[in-house]
Amino acid sequence: MIKSMRMTALAAALVAATSLTAAAEVVYHRGNSADPETLDQHKTSTTYEAHILRDMYEGLVAYSAEGEIIPGAAESWTVSEDGLVYTFKMRPDAKWSNGDPVVAGDFEYSLRRIMTPETGAKYANVLYPIFNAEKVNTGELAPEELGVKALDDATLEIKLQAATPYFIDLLGHQTGLPVHPATVEKFGSDFVKPENIVTNGAFVLADFTPNDSITVVKNEHFHDADNVKVDKVKFYPTEDRGAALRRFQAGELHTNNDVPLEQIDFIKETFGDQFHVAPYLGTYYYAVNHESEATKDPEVRQALSMAIDREFLAEEIWGDTMVAAYSFIPPGIANYGEPALAEWADMDLLDREELAMKILEEKGYSEANPLEIEIRYNTSENHKNTAVAIADMWKPLGVEVTLLNTDTKTHYAHLRDRGDFDVARAGWIGDYSDPQNFLFMVESDNVGFNYARYENPEFDALMDEAAVTLDLEKRAEVLKQAETLFMRDLPFIPLMFYGSKNIVADSVSGFEDNLLDIHPSRFISIAE
């Protein structure tokens, strides 16, 4: 009887201790757009996958709360005078979640893996500046020929094909995140399962329930674990933005990375400072087909562009969550300065409309003889409303618009496969903060993104020159010349710069608005 009572008391004490631990556990409930297609960092292609992966893994470099590059698994690095060789010194206290040290060889293995054709990496081209990367990725050379070498456990050397001033920024992309070699070798593609996974970031995967949540828990072996304030992060797929907003209002989400635009007025009135709208590194644009009879004339393209009331689109259609764009490269981007604006950017809208009408009249177009243009867009109420508004703006010029809507997958496949079109809606979010990541899209040989089929040898030559220019100021001048040509020829008509739209509870600190909209959970604190 006495033994039984003692056991009962012990059990009660254990239950009480467990309850106290559970009560003290800090959980960050984070809305995150959608379920990931993969948690293999070498096969990922979306921002919502990147948010999860950057919490679980740490590359040679990482991001601060402000979205700036900081040392990661490498504590420091040096660059040779010619800009071709980067030497990284590994952080001595960096460990994997199983306690293994993070060594230079882990990154040699990982970078070879992403470039191996059999891996099927969708974003391998981000790292093509590495020596022989493209040839390895296309199967011309063996992975061992890649310009990455572990000189010893503490030193990693990366050689480049050509000097790339923004190379460190590229390493912040999710493609630069490492895998744990022994785990990949043992489990193959199953290394991503919670029971197998080994990570080197602030958190490690604990559970993945599709269509419900992904749970990551604090990695006690992480070198900065003492400063990580949350014990667990639960990522929720929040494709239904209205439902996510209701969950936020009910206190079930601490943050969510998007909102339903049709409720913008309600959100602003109800949530006040908890609604964060900030500049985002992205451009919403219309691609203009340079091979189409309707849009192959550069003066016609300029007339169409200058007649668009971008402020109306940004403020009325998009609820003031976008910013009118008169350049293709977003303001505030690194390594650049002020973007190259359209020549008529400072003109009054009425004067622009009058000039646009005159240009089209001289081309023989009028209401009696309209310029017929089809606008293609992917499914979204806001994309539709944008297209309808632009059609109305073009109508007084003698432009007759028809609209064609398809689902997103079909829409972009049509553009990539060089299907017929006149004007098509598209958007680009920068992978890294550098103007090259925007202008490269319309280089002649960029079949995947050059929807306009723009071919200008002068533009290509400027991009080639910029690629080998080490002096950042001189490089910026060359890229400015390239953007000036872009704005003259208009392969794309820039319409708006994206704004990030986050809702952030008052209990959350460490969430800093930034151009890349990157918010590592390791810097978040929750006050309950």
Side-chain angles (χ1 to χ4, degrees):
M1 181 69 176
I2 294 175
K3 181 179 180 181
S4 176
M5 290 179 62
R6 284 177 178 171
M7 290 299 292
T8 302
L10 178 59
L14 287 172
V15 169
T18 302
S19 299
L20 285 171
T21 301
E25 186 177 59
V26 179
V27 182
Y28 173 23
H29 297 279
R30 180 171 180 170
N32 188 45
S33 295
D35 264 346
E37 292 182 34
T38 178
L39 287 178
D40 183 338
Q41 53 270 58
H42 295 164
K43 298 181 180 181
T44 179
S45 62
T46 68
T47 56
Y48 47 88
E49 290 165 342
H51 295 320
I52 301 168
L53 290 165
R54 277 192 297 261
D55 269 6
M56 296 198 299
Y57 294 93
E58 183 176 63
L60 293 166
V61 299
Y63 283 104
S64 69
E66 294 78 19
E68 298 173 350
I69 291 289
I70 58 174
E75 63 178 358
S76 64
W77 54 88
T78 57
V79 186
S80 62
E81 287 188 13
D82 59 7
L84 294 177
V85 181
Y86 285 67
T87 304
F88 295 87
K89 287 296 180 183
M90 305 304 295
R91 185 185 296 276
D93 55 348
K95 292 183 179 181
W96 292 94
S97 54
N98 67 349
D100 288 351
V102 177
V103 296
D106 297 334
F107 283 89
E108 179 187 83
Y109 177 93
S110 298
L111 291 169
R112 286 179 179 178
R113 179 179 185 266
I114 192 172
M115 288 303 160
T116 301
E118 290 74 20
T119 300
K122 301 174 184 176
Y123 245 145
N125 61 350
V126 170
L127 298 173
Y128 273 8
I130 297 175
F131 185 69
N132 283 339
E134 185 172 6
K135 290 182 179 180
V136 171
N137 191 229
T138 55
E140 292 182 46
L141 293 175
E144 291 75 22
E145 298 298 318
L146 186 68
V148 179
K149 184 177 182 181
L151 303 182
D152 54 46
D153 283 351
T155 314
L156 181 74
E157 180 184 87
I158 299 180
K159 294 181 180 179
L160 303 188
Q161 198 75 32
T164 308
Y166 53 91
F167 181 65
I168 289 295
D169 295 279
L170 296 187
L171 293 177
H173 191 260
Q174 63 260 40
T175 50
L177 298 174
V179 294
H180 184 251
T183 302
V184 174
E185 290 298 313
K186 181 177 181 179
F187 297 107
S189 60
D190 287 341
F191 84 90
V192 299
K193 292 185 176 181
E195 62 269 26
N196 300 333
I197 201 165
V198 176
T199 70
N200 73 323
F203 300 91
V204 62
L205 182 66
D207 179 70
F208 182 1
T209 306
N211 302 313
D212 179 54
S213 65
I214 290 174
T215 303
V216 298
V217 296
K218 185 175 177 179
N219 174 14
E220 296 298 340
H221 289 289
F222 181 57
H223 62 83
D224 196 35
D226 289 347
N227 291 315
V228 177
K229 304 302 182 185
V230 297
D231 301 300
K232 182 185 295 183
V233 184
K234 291 183 74 71
F235 291 91
Y236 300 92
T238 51
E239 290 176 294
D240 186 335
R241 292 161 179 79
L245 185 65
R246 291 189 292 274
R247 293 186 69 179
F248 178 80
Q249 196 167 13
E252 297 174 11
L253 292 177
H254 289 111
T255 65
N256 192 49
N257 60 345
D258 206 350
V259 297
L261 290 176
E262 65 274 13
Q263 297 186 53
I264 285 294
D265 290 341
F266 166 79
I267 293 167
K268 290 178 178 177
E269 182 178 343
T270 305
F271 300 108
D273 292 342
Q274 294 181 98
F275 179 40
H276 293 217
V277 178
Y280 191 23
L281 193 67
T283 305
Y284 185 109
Y285 65 91
Y286 273 5
V288 188
N289 189 353
H290 283 217
E291 296 177 356
S292 165
E293 283 297 321
T295 54
K296 67 180 182 181
D297 187 325
E299 291 186 88
V300 168
R301 296 194 295 269
Q302 285 292 343
L304 294 173
S305 182
M306 66 177 66
I308 296 172
D309 184 349
R310 291 158 170 81
E311 279 73 16
F312 176 84
L313 298 178
E315 295 168 11
E316 300 300 325
I317 304 296
W318 290 86
D320 218 12
T321 62
M322 297 274 215
V323 177
Y326 294 92
S327 64
F328 185 57
I329 296 174
I333 198 166
N335 306 323
Y336 200 42
E338 292 300 317
L341 300 177
E343 290 184 357
W344 41 263
D346 293 331
M347 289 177 61
D348 180 78
L349 178 60
L350 292 177
D351 293 336
R352 283 167 26 205
E353 291 173 344
E354 185 177 335
L355 179 56
M357 193 176 299
K358 182 179 178 181
I359 290 171
L360 291 187
E361 283 177 354
E362 290 175 352
K363 300 293 179 180
Y365 297 111
S366 64
E367 289 190 22
N369 181 39
L371 170 64
E372 297 181 356
I373 288 180
E374 179 184 79
I375 298 177
R376 301 180 66 99
Y377 65 93
N378 55 304
T379 303
S380 161
E381 196 64 27
N382 289 313
H383 297 335
K384 177 183 177 181
N385 292 341
T386 299
V388 169
I390 289 176
D392 287 342
M393 295 170 192
W394 285 349
K395 189 173 183 179
L397 309 182
V399 179
E400 187 175 290
V401 174
T402 55
L403 304 179
L404 178 61
N405 165 229
T406 58
D407 64 89
T408 299
K409 183 178 179 180
T410 302
H411 177 77
Y412 281 107
H414 185 83
L415 297 181
R416 284 193 301 269
D417 296 342
R418 301 176 74 84
D420 291 335
F421 77 97
D422 298 323
V423 175
R425 179 268 155 189
W428 181 254
I429 304 298
D431 294 308
Y432 44 91
S433 186
D434 188 273
Q436 182 273 349
N437 192 226
F438 285 79
L439 295 176
F440 91 108
M441 296 174 69
V442 293
E443 291 180 7
S444 299
D445 60 355
N446 193 341
V447 179
F449 294 116
N450 188 357
Y451 306 141
R453 300 154 205 186
Y454 177 56
E455 292 189 18
N456 183 337
E458 186 181 358
F459 178 89
D460 291 343
L462 288 169
M463 294 301 292
D464 290 342
E465 181 182 349
V468 296
T469 302
L470 294 181
D471 185 290
L472 287 177
E473 289 187 11
K474 291 180 179 178
R475 176 176 178 271
E477 292 173 5
V478 175
L479 290 171
K480 180 71 69 66
Q481 294 176 51
E483 190 186 14
T484 300
L485 288 180
F486 179 106
M487 294 305 298
R488 182 198 71 187
D489 298 341
L490 284 184
F492 302 158
I493 295 176
L495 298 174
M496 294 167 285
F497 297 124
Y498 283 99
S500 57
K501 302 175 288 294
N502 291 283
I503 42 175
V504 183
D506 287 333
S507 59
V508 174
S509 58
F511 188 103
E512 303 292 339
D513 296 328
N514 60 75
L515 195 60
L516 292 173
D517 200 26
I518 287 176
H519 307 282
S521 298
R522 63 182 278 200
F523 300 114
I524 296 294
S525 297
I526 309 289
E528 299 292 356

